[in-house]
Amino acid sequence: MTDFEGMPKDSSVVRLLYPDFSNAYITYTDKDGYYKLENVDKGKYMAMYAMRKKEYPRENAVPKDDMRLEFWAWNVIANKDLVINPRYHRLEVYGTTVFQNFGGYPGFFIYFRPMSITKYLSYSQEIYLDKKKAEQVADISVKPENLAIKVFADNELLKINSIQPVEEFLGGMPITGYIVQVDKPKNKSAEPYIVFRIEAENKEYKEKGESLYFYEFPEFKQPINKQ
């Protein structure tokens, strides 16, 4: 686990999560940023979360310039030994979902919600230390003109065809998410899934972040070959 400059992040928590956000497995990175989750039951897990806890804003344990937001991987398919190298900084790329539009252009759609820590910390401590209050009043979204992204499929850089902002209703303050249309990867995956990586930057504050999504190929009924 590193930051975006490649510096290791020691003493960071890494959690594999059930759908109710409870811990399936938990561990911590060592002094060189390495971690290992052992004896993981095979299967599909809702998410993996990683961050250095003391740097989280609501901990209020480090100066504001040293605060960070977390890394997420979604729909994690643990069908074999995996290597996931989290990178995190001051932009959280949350809620990532990948889907195909069958019958349309041969590519993928990716939804995600980028969230800015600089905008979050611009509010008073009374707000940013209180999750419930923050969700009611804090606008931490990234404006379209400030968003730069790259999308990779199993490390293959994909062509981005469109980026559309979407107002997501959260019950309190709405927040801006994005739907991105990308080309289908040229390289065929050796696994029954593709690991998509969304690398994002909020150019306004030079914040970076990324997330992963394990896209599982649907198993549709195939036609029977007729003799």
Side-chain angles (χ1 to χ4, degrees), residues 49-71 88-92 115-131 134 138 140 207:
Y49 158 105
M51 76 166 305
R52 184 186 275 170
K53 189 177 179 183
K54 70 178 182 180
E55 294 177 347
Y56 195 63
R58 283 197 291 273
E59 295 292 323
N60 204 32
V62 297
K64 285 185 176 181
D65 287 347
D66 294 329
M67 292 180 181
R68 301 288 185 266
L69 291 177
E70 56 264 46
F71 164 92
Y88 89 129
H89 190 247
R90 292 173 65 85
L91 185 71
E92 182 176 346
M115 298 189 291
S116 164
I117 195 173
T118 305
K119 293 183 72 173
Y120 188 62
L121 295 173
S122 68
Y123 293 87
S124 67
Q125 276 196 10
E126 180 186 3
I127 292 174
Y128 76 71
L129 294 181
D130 188 318
K131 184 176 186 292
I140 57 175
E207 301 167 321

Side-chain angles (χ1 to χ4, degrees), residues 99-206:
F99 59 97
Q100 282 187 280
N101 175 26
F102 294 100
Y105 185 79
F108 288 87
F109 288 93
I110 300 164
Y111 174 82
F112 65 94
R113 185 202 312 159
M115 298 189 291
S116 164
I117 195 173
T118 305
K119 293 183 72 173
Y120 188 62
L121 295 173
S122 68
Y123 293 87
S124 67
Q125 276 196 10
E126 180 186 3
I127 292 174
Y128 76 71
L129 294 181
D130 188 318
K131 184 176 186 292
K132 187 174 181 180
K133 286 183 179 179
E135 289 177 347
Q136 294 296 318
V137 302
D139 178 8
I140 57 175
S141 56
V142 178
K143 294 180 179 179
E145 62 269 24
N146 295 325
L147 181 67
I149 66 166
K150 293 179 181 178
V151 177
F152 300 83
D154 293 334
N155 295 318
E156 176 189 342
L157 180 64
L158 301 180
K159 178 188 175 186
I160 295 174
N161 295 309
S162 69
I163 303 175
Q164 302 296 330
V166 178
E167 187 176 274
E168 182 178 351
F169 177 71
L170 297 180
M173 170 69 69
I175 193 168
T176 302
Y178 291 87
I179 293 180
V180 179
Q181 186 185 29
V182 297
D183 269 1
K184 188 176 180 180
K186 296 177 181 177
N187 300 325
K188 187 174 181 179
S189 176
E191 300 293 337
Y193 56 80
I194 300 172
V195 181
F196 283 86
R197 177 165 59 90
I198 295 83
E199 183 180 312
E201 180 180 3
N202 178 11
K203 296 183 291 183
E204 184 177 13
Y205 301 117
K206 295 182 172 59

Side-chain angles (χ1 to χ4, degrees), residues 30-41:
D30 65 17
K31 62 183 179 62
D32 298 312
Y34 289 98
Y35 72 94
K36 181 182 285 189
L37 291 168
E38 296 184 293
N39 301 315
V40 173
D41 285 342

Side-chain angles (χ1 to χ4, degrees), residues 63-94:
K64 285 185 176 181
D65 287 347
D66 294 329
M67 292 180 181
R68 301 288 185 266
L69 291 177
E70 56 264 46
F71 164 92
W72 289 90
W74 298 93
N75 199 45
V76 178
I77 300 173
N79 66 330
K80 64 173 188 176
D81 288 346
L82 296 174
V83 176
I84 297 178
N85 298 317
R87 291 192 303 167
Y88 89 129
H89 190 247
R90 292 173 65 85
L91 185 71
E92 182 176 346
V93 182
Y94 189 73

